[in-house]
Amino acid sequence: MSKTEHTLTEADQLEHGLKVRHLTMMGLGSAIGAGLFLGSGVGIAAAGPAVIVSYVLAGIMIVFVMRMLGEMGAALPASGSFSHYARIGIGEWAGFTMGWLYWFMLIMVLGVEITGASAIVSSWLPGVPQWVVALVFVTFFAVVNLAKVANFGEFEFWFAALKVAVIVAFLVIGVLLVFGLLPDTEPVGLTHLLGDGDGFAPNGLAGIAAGLLAVAFAFGGIEIVTIAAAESRDPERSIATAVRTVVWRISLFYLGSISIMVLVLPWTSASGETSPFVSVLDIAGLPYVSGFMELVVVIALLSAFNANVYGTSRMAYSLARGGDGPAVLAQISRTGVPRNAVLLSVFFGFVSVLLNWWLPEDILGILLNAVGSALLAIWIFVVVSHLRLRPTLEQEGRLTVRMWAFPYLSWLTLGMLGAFIALMLFDPAARIQLASTAVLFLFIAAMSQLWQRRSRARVQ
């Protein structure tokens, strides 16, 4: 048996209930989150119309990372995804560190998502405490994730379908606005795109860099496809389909939406408090836009929460199966679901909600800063794992999806990620995130050494 073959059995006990349509729509939906609906205004305010350049640079980087991850995922489908590839490509410590870093990151994000969704819904229901709404949501999605994985797939399918429909409708309305084809509207021309007299890049290269910092992490979530594909009926085909469409997904959803925003809206009107989506639809004269977008944001947050409960439970299960976590997390229920791993994620979902309510903002801020740039570490390890594994996978004839122009684009991606880190060092807030993530990374790496020593001592 080659050094890569043992990873093929890691998902054998899991129920293979996800269909290709689930994975395809999850891939579409994963590119559309609350970050796109709400966070795009921050990038526009920082870079002006040149935020398009920020999105193009971030998009190219993520497309390359996903292509490498897809190549490894199609060759070695595993519920631990990049954690497994880091383990066999770099070393045991890397697999442990990447897996638990990703788990911790999503656990913290769970609380933010469920708190955001419950806050909006409780504002619709006067007299109903926010904690009651959060409790209902968490309990409901716990039941969904404890049942067959097909249930999770169906919920994500319809959540994603709604988000995709909203984006498509937005793009259609935006194009009609741009060309003045709606009642009482005229073609917008290039006035706003050229910064209303301030130029395409009113804040220069510094603004584009600031925009890049604002938008890069909005692409997080796409990697869930390679984790979920291990439980599909045809992992190789599912991953290949999702990865091969990532380019047009990012181009259509992100670049298309942002292009319409900077064409229709003055860049000076953008901020982190008002969604540019709502502003564009207000210009179109559509009624009830704000309330409808609130509903869409709630659905986006709940979809992300559902996906992250899934992602954290599968990562914990995979780590336990590989000897990097308590064996109890590797137990499978009769429905083929890692029950204890799901319950652990749900438990910390409750805990993180309590942290959002009870702890002072500065303590929560430290925790969120610690995971703020964790995705950056994961992307770097994906690239390094790919560079190490590609020759072996090619020699064994496993490649069905190939990274373009290997190894040149792989090294270019690593250079882009390094440049992004350098960029963050010049931004005070981003610098704090990097430092916090570095401390968390070193802590988990140290824990990996202690865990391995403990495991070796137990064997002896």
Side-chain angles (χ1 to χ4, degrees):
M1 179 183 291
S2 70
K3 75 172 186 175
T4 56
E5 280 183 345
H6 70 279
T7 62
L8 294 174
T9 62
E10 287 175 355
D12 282 352
Q13 294 186 30
L14 296 174
E15 177 70 25
H16 293 260
L18 294 178
K19 301 174 183 177
V20 173
R21 70 177 178 89
H22 293 150
L23 270 293
T24 303
M25 189 56 75
M26 283 171 60
L28 291 169
S30 64
I32 308 169
L36 177 60
F37 289 121
L38 297 176
S40 46
V42 178
I44 296 173
V51 73
I52 294 175
V53 178
S54 303
Y55 270 97
V56 168
L57 292 174
I60 289 172
M61 190 167 65
I62 300 309
V63 164
F64 289 166
V65 170
M66 276 301 296
R67 187 75 184 188
M68 287 180 266
L69 188 55
E71 178 184 295
M72 294 183 289
L76 300 168
S79 57
S81 188
F82 44 82
S83 171
H84 279 288
Y85 311 141
R87 177 181 293 110
I88 61 179
I90 302 173
E92 292 288 337
W93 72 271
F96 183 103
T97 305
M98 282 300 93
W100 286 114
L101 179 65
Y102 185 75
W103 182 89
F104 182 80
M105 176 185 72
L106 292 192
I107 285 296
M108 287 306 305
V109 171
L110 283 176
V112 176
E113 290 162 346
I114 205 66
T115 300
S118 60
I120 294 174
V121 173
S122 64
S123 70
W124 300 342
L125 305 170
V128 178
Q130 183 176 330
W131 70 267
V132 173
V133 178
L135 179 65
V136 171
F137 283 149
V138 173
T139 303
F140 175 77
F141 286 110
V143 172
V144 169
N145 279 272
L146 286 170
K148 291 183 177 182
V149 71
N151 291 11
F152 162 79
E154 282 298 318
F155 273 97
E156 281 303 295
F157 177 86
W158 292 109
F159 276 147
L162 180 58
K163 290 190 290 183
V164 169
V166 169
I167 289 290
V168 171
F170 175 82
L171 292 174
V172 171
I173 293 170
V175 170
L176 293 176
L177 271 177
V178 167
F179 290 99
L181 298 177
L182 290 178
D184 301 321
T185 62
E186 296 181 0
V188 298
L190 300 179
T191 302
H192 298 321
L193 183 65
L194 298 178
D196 296 293
D198 295 325
F200 176 70
N203 295 325
L205 289 176
I208 294 174
L212 185 59
L213 291 177
V215 306
F217 295 118
F219 291 96
I222 293 179
E223 71 286 338
I224 192 74
V225 175
T226 59
I227 294 175
E231 289 181 76
S232 70
R233 297 171 185 176
D234 190 353
E236 293 84 356
R237 180 188 167 206
S238 299
I239 293 179
T241 301
V243 169
R244 285 171 180 152
T245 59
V246 72
V247 175
W248 72 260
R249 276 187 271 140
I250 287 178
S251 301
L252 178 63
F253 295 144
Y254 277 87
L255 299 183
S257 299
I258 294 299
S259 297
I260 285 174
M261 291 175 197
V262 297
L263 279 166
V264 173
L265 301 172
W267 74 274
T268 52
S269 68
S271 70
E273 298 177 0
T274 304
S275 169
F277 278 84
V278 174
S279 300
V280 170
L281 295 175
D282 278 338
I283 291 176
L286 298 177
Y288 310 112
V289 166
S290 297
F292 177 71
M293 286 307 298
E294 274 195 339
L295 175 62
V296 172
V297 170
V298 168
I299 290 172
L301 288 168
L302 294 179
S303 171
F305 179 82
N306 189 36
N308 288 340
V309 169
Y310 174 88
T312 51
S313 62
R314 270 37 175 200
M315 185 59 74
Y317 162 80
S318 179
L319 289 164
R321 286 270 292 176
D324 288 335
V328 68
L329 297 179
Q331 294 179 2
I332 300 294
S333 69
R334 286 179 296 178
T335 56
V337 171
R339 180 184 58 249
N340 293 335
V342 171
L343 290 175
L344 180 68
S345 298
V346 171
F347 170 76
F348 278 103
F350 281 117
V351 170
S352 56
V353 170
L354 294 177
L355 287 175
N356 272 272
W357 291 340
W358 291 350
L359 289 182
E361 289 186 6
D362 54 342
I363 297 178
L364 180 61
I366 291 172
L367 293 174
L368 291 178
N369 274 334
V371 302
S373 52
L375 266 176
L376 196 58
I378 290 167
W379 292 338
I380 290 172
F381 271 72
V382 167
V383 178
V384 174
S385 302
H386 175 256
L387 286 166
R388 298 288 297 272
L389 283 176
R390 170 64 178 265
T392 303
L393 295 174
E394 193 159 27
Q395 185 179 4
E396 295 176 358
R398 293 183 178 275
L399 297 181
T400 56
V401 176
R402 291 175 179 268
M403 175 60 183
W404 309 292
F406 177 83
Y408 306 108
L409 288 186
S410 299
W411 283 109
L412 174 63
T413 307
L414 199 58
M416 292 175 71
L417 290 166
F420 190 72
I421 290 177
L423 193 62
M424 294 181 73
L425 291 174
F426 289 95
D427 183 270
R431 196 160 54 235
I432 294 174
Q433 281 193 0
L434 273 180
S436 301
T437 300
V439 171
L440 176 62
F441 178 91
L442 292 173
F443 173 76
I444 298 176
M447 290 298 296
S448 75
Q449 298 302 312
L450 294 175
W451 185 270
Q452 288 176 24
R453 287 182 188 177
R454 182 170 172 266
S455 298
R456 285 194 294 266
R458 188 182 301 163
V459 171
Q460 294 174 354

